[in-house]
Amino acid sequence: MNRVQRRRFAQATAFALLAFATFLILAIMVGIISFVASQGIGAISWEFLTAFPRSGMTEGGIFPAIVGTFYLAMGTTLISLPLGVFAAIYLVEYSYQGRLIRLIRIGINNLAGVPSIVFGLFGLALFVRHLGLGVSLLSGSLTLAFFVLPLVIRASEEALLAVPQGFREGALALGATKWQSVYTVVLPTAVPAILTGGILALGIAAGQTAPIIFTAAAFFTPRLPDSIFSPIMALPFHIYVMASESAHFAVTRHLQFGTALVLLAIVFGINITAIIIRSQMRKRRRW
Amino acid sequence: MSATMLTVKELNFYYSKTQVLRDVNIEIPGNEVTAIIGPSGCGKSSFLKALNRLYEIIPGARVTGEIIYNGGNLLSRDVDVVGLRKEIGMVFQRPNPFPKSIYANVAYGPRLHGVKRKELDRIVEESLRKAGLWDEVKDKLNKSGLDLSGGEQQRLCIARCLAVEPKIILMDEPCSALDPIATAKIEDLIYNLKQDYTVIIVTHNMQQAARVSDKTAVFLTGGKMVEYGETVKIFENPENKIVEDYITGKFG
Ligand SMILES: Nc1ncnc2c1ncn2[C@@H]1O[C@H](COP(=O)(O)OP(=O)(O)OP(=O)(O)O)[C@@H](O)[C@H]1O
Ligand SMILES: [Mg+2]
């Protein structure tokens, strides 16, 4: 092979490898979805979506788990979004960008790498036991909020950093205080991007099992939660319970996949909402 | 002719360790247009940022010396910066209207400073008229300021600045992003502004400095102000050979 041929060969090989990796990912994703869909679609019915489980979870529906997951996701967002946004404002707008801030950033990034079960144990120790909140919607939301907090902070930071410096200078030059410039110009400009990050975090929270096992989840509740101190059912935990703890795990196969399918649909729905908001926002942005 | 508005004494400007202005002394007269010219990087923008203390938001930036305004040193610690920036407004090189409506852009400053709601309509109209933009936008005040052309955006920024009723207006190359027609409009505007305001304008365009300004200050690389005086004299008969070379385009 001469040099030109060698170069062409290298080019073709690299291209083939990259294309292979991309299609492999796509294939795995399609594989998972179609497998879950084909196994679970038979279980889906109006009753499945709207009824309580019956006969030791071998019959009936998953309504309380859907509601529980919805409440958990809402609670997580209500707690993590304000906290994360305030932290990001401090990090981006207020703090002197020195060594301490670098340390805090490293801390936040490391927090994102902590295994979710560790958050679960932390939540059990702090919220359930120490603060006496018990196994409850509130404890679970708090635990999940801490779990997604690094993501929310990072998304909010990126959103704030994307606001042109000219907006800040313009506001300050008109006699705005720092805080006025933040809440009248910088924050409103960053809100769509912050919301996108918040919604993605919501999708991640909805799918978690480990952080809620000890802090919020119940095998079965005869009623829907009536306060933030009630234990709740949730989709990921429901799957886990049916698949591993129940004596009838073989009988409930189709119900497990049906539940997984519902969970997948919810998470995808949430992510697609975030993607739509983001693309709308890009279309409208003109600075 | 007119009373001195700002007296700059021994002004030095640093970004961390790097000094970008050295011992600058200027007396800027009221109700006149003063042009600041000089090669890129000689510290013109930094000079303006010292005048309204906008340098304070840049980490590591620091100044020494005095700038006397209203009988006090505006650089001193106990000056109320917010009040100062109300009186010394600024128009930037790149038009930077907020992503809000035209009306909200102009009303932004007055709202911050607690002007009553029923006064706002009048202030917005007056400011837009002064900036020569009223006729173009009076039917679309609720449209986003970002929908305007570059030249209109810059006049919107001027109107936004006028709405807080400053005494001094700092302009940092306000026309550098604009075409000749938009530039001509802004130059006319600057010429009219000096009846009510003191204008300090940084520009790279010699003809522009000659057209709009009464006084001109020439800064050179290294951050020294080498010559300051009547614009006519600076352009026709400068004292320094180096200024003549700069103005005739031999360097810079
Ligand atoms: N934020 C900053 N941090 C560090 N150095 C800076 C900063 N801003 C400007 N400088 C440096 O200070 C010097 C003066 O900058 P300045 O922007 O005041 O120049 P200028 O005369 O306005 O130039 P131009 O005509 O290109 O706008 C330059 O050498 C520049 O590199
Ligand atoms: Mg400049």
Side-chain angles (χ1 to χ4, degrees), chain A residues 96-97 165-178 180-181 183-185 188-189 286-287, chain B residues 49 52 54 57 59 82 85-86 88 90 92 96-100 108 112-113 144 146-147 160-161 164:
Chain A
Y96 178 73
Q97 304 293 324
Q165 188 64 11
F167 290 175
R168 295 183 180 84
E169 291 179 340
L172 293 172
L174 289 165
T177 61
K178 179 98 193 183
Q180 285 172 328
S181 77
Y183 86 76
T184 59
V185 178
T189 312
R286 276 156 304 170
W287 56 83
Chain B
K49 284 183 183 154
N52 67 351
L54 206 57
I57 65 170
V82 165
R85 291 188 186 141
K86 263 166 73 177
I88 306 184
M90 187 161 192
F92 296 81
N96 59 349
F98 302 133
K100 299 174 186 290
Y108 181 84
L112 278 186
H113 304 308
S144 167
L146 294 167
D147 283 339
R160 186 176 72 181
C161 172
V164 287

Side-chain angles (χ1 to χ4, degrees), chain A residues 107-190:
Chain A
I108 292 171
N109 287 342
N110 274 319
L111 205 58
V114 172
S116 53
I117 188 73
V118 177
F119 277 93
L121 288 172
F122 170 76
L124 172 67
L126 181 64
F127 304 124
V128 178
R129 296 262 167 78
H130 188 72
L131 295 179
L133 301 176
V135 173
S136 64
L137 173 57
L138 182 59
S139 294
S141 301
L142 283 164
T143 309
L144 279 173
F146 280 85
F147 179 70
V148 296
L149 199 55
L151 278 170
V152 177
I153 294 178
R154 217 175 316 160
S156 308
E157 270 193 282
E158 269 159 30
L160 292 170
L161 288 170
V163 175
Q165 188 64 11
F167 290 175
R168 295 183 180 84
E169 291 179 340
L172 293 172
L174 289 165
T177 61
K178 179 98 193 183
W179 172 238
Q180 285 172 328
S181 77
V182 170
Y183 86 76
T184 59
V185 178
V186 178
L187 206 49
T189 312

